[in-house]
Each structure stands twice: as C-alpha cells, then as structure tokens.
C-alpha cells in the first residue's frame, strides 16, 4: 500500500522593505492586540522572516505607529490606539444592531438544529421497512404455531391421561431425588476442596474447572410448587 503524499500549504512569497513593514503594521492594526515578533511572523505565514519582523516592529515603535511594552524579558507590540480610527456613534449602533440580529438568527438556527436532532433520533429508532417485514413474518409464524398447539383443545381431544400424569410424577420424583443426591455429594466435596481458599480463589478455581452452579432458573424451580415436600403436591393434582 503506497503512502499518501503529504499535503503542504503553498508557501507565501517573502516580503521585503516597505511591503514587509506595511504587512506587519496592517496585521497589528487589524488584530489590535499585543503580539511578540515570533507570533507576528508565524501568523503572517512566514511572509516576513522572524529577524526582519523584530527589526520592523522596533522601527514602527520608534515612529510611534505602534507601542512597545516590555514585561520582564518578554517584549510585546500593539497598535498605537491614538492612531486608530474613531468609531462613530452611528457605525457603532449599526454594528450592535447587526450583532443582535446575528444572535437572534443563531438562536433560531440552534432551535432548528435541536428539532432536527430530535427528529433524526426518532428516525434512527424507527424500524425500517425490511425490519418490519422480518418482524411481521416472525409474529405470523408465532401465531400459527400457537394456533396449532391450541387446535387439540378446541377439538376436545384429551391432552394428558391420568396414567400419563402418574408416570410423569414417578419419573420426576425419581430423577429429582437423584439430582439432589448428586448435588449433596458435590457440595460436600467442594467444601472440602475450597475450605482453605478465599471466596475469590474458589470462584477462580470453579471457572478454571468449568464448574457451573445452579442458575436463577434452577433456584426458582427449587422454590416453586414442583419441589414441595412429597405428599403435598404431585404434577397432576395440587392440594389447596
């Protein structure tokens, strides 16, 4: 993969003499804030070299075009405020009116942006036609499956006989007893193995060995009506 060519800004021609001086003075007047020679040269994109900029600034200060201020070892230059054009009251009022109008326009645009952002969020959360079609087909399939399961009930056919319920009760009691026995053996063995371990170490060991403890579904079944003491409930009949 070839490297992308670096984009470089076009280099401005170097100004000399009066052109350089005019450029420096015009920049300070336009910005009307203190700058050092390095900043002025950098902001002019190198059109006036740093050394020349320093000499021009000193010369302009000697002429009174700009003011030179020294703070410690740092020297700043700023346009001479006495030489700047006074702002007529009419022009100032017009600028203030323009500023106010722009502020109002900005508020209106900000409100439009908020409205558009809200609408965009709604559109992004709305399923597409393709997604709706998939969901519709899934729902239709679920309805058809449910109707097929209800069909025996509607036709009056018996679902489970008494003998089948008794067989289910017997199988359930048998395999649950076996499960309880095996769980008790595991818990006893696991207590012996992890007795000297911290809870965190025990969890790490269980994860390393791939041991899966009872899930919330298992706990719910154990606490549910299927696991009440024998004689209180069977699958087919519940004592009220």
């Amino acid at each position: 993969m070839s490297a992308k060519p670096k984009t470089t800004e076009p280099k401005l021609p170097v100004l000399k003499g009066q052109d350089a001086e005019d450029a420096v003075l015009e920049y300070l007047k336009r910005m009307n804030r203190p700058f050092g020679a390095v900043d002025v040269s950098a902001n002019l994109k190198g059109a006036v070299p740093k050394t020349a900029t320093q000499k021009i600034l000193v010369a302009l200060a000697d002429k009174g075009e700009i003011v030179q201020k020294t703070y410690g070892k740092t020297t700043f230059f700023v346009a001479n405020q006495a030489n700047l054009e006074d702002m007529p009251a009419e022009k100032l009022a017009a600028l203030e009116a323009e500023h106010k109008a722009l502020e109002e326009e900005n508020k209106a645009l900000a409100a439009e942006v908020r409205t558009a952002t809200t609408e965009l969020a709604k559109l992004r959360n709305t399923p597409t036609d393709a997604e709706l079609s998939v969901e519709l087909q899934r729902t239709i399939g679920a309805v058809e499956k449910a109707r097929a399961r209800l069909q025996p009930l509607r036709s009056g056919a018996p679902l489970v006989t008494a003998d089948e319920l008794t067989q289910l009760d017997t199988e359930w009691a048998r395999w649950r007893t076996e499960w309880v026995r095996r769980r008790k053996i595991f818990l006893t063995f696991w207590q012996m193995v992890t007795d000297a371990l911290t809870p965190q170490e025990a969890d790490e060991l269980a994860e390393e060995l791939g041991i899966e403890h009872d899930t919330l579904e298992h706990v719910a079944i154990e606490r549910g009506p299927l696991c009440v003491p024998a004689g209180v409930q069977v699958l087919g009949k519940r004592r009220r």
Side-chain angles (χ1 to χ4, degrees), residues 23-190:
V24 172
L25 180 59
E26 188 276 334
Y27 177 77
L28 287 179
K29 286 183 176 180
R30 175 162 50 85
M31 301 305 295
N32 195 24
R33 51 167 288 190
F35 284 102
V38 175
D39 294 329
V40 173
S41 178
N43 294 339
L44 290 176
K45 308 299 183 183
V48 182
K50 297 178 184 178
T51 304
T53 301
Q54 178 66 30
K55 294 179 180 179
I56 291 173
L57 289 171
V58 173
L60 290 173
D62 292 339
K63 295 178 182 179
E65 296 286 348
I66 62 176
V67 177
Q68 179 178 347
K69 296 288 185 179
T70 302
Y71 298 94
K73 296 182 179 181
T74 306
T75 301
F76 293 98
F77 299 89
V78 65
N80 192 338
Q81 303 301 299
N83 297 336
L84 297 179
E85 177 185 1
D86 292 336
M87 181 69 68
E90 297 80 2
K91 187 175 181 180
L92 182 60
L95 289 175
E96 289 179 349
E98 181 181 0
H99 178 263
K100 185 176 181 180
L102 290 174
E103 279 190 336
E104 294 298 327
E105 182 180 355
N106 185 55
K107 290 180 181 178
L109 291 174
E112 291 181 9
V113 169
R114 287 194 295 270
T115 301
T117 302
T118 302
E119 291 297 326
L120 179 60
K122 290 181 180 179
L123 290 174
R124 287 178 174 175
N125 292 329
T126 301
T128 63
D129 292 346
E131 291 172 340
L132 284 175
S133 179
V134 172
E135 184 63 21
L136 180 60
Q137 293 301 321
R138 187 194 68 79
T139 303
I140 292 175
V143 171
E144 292 178 350
K145 185 177 180 180
R147 286 178 176 174
R149 295 180 63 183
L150 288 173
Q151 187 60 36
L153 287 175
R154 291 174 175 174
S155 62
L159 298 181
V160 182
T161 65
D163 292 339
E164 289 173 336
L165 285 176
T166 301
Q167 180 65 26
L168 287 173
D169 285 337
T170 302
E171 290 293 323
W172 166 258
R174 173 190 173 189
W175 292 114
R176 181 174 182 274
T177 301
E178 179 66 17
W179 174 75
V180 170
R181 185 183 70 82
R182 294 190 180 190
R183 185 179 65 170
K184 183 177 180 180
I185 294 173
F186 164 76
L187 292 177
T188 302
F189 175 75
W190 185 249

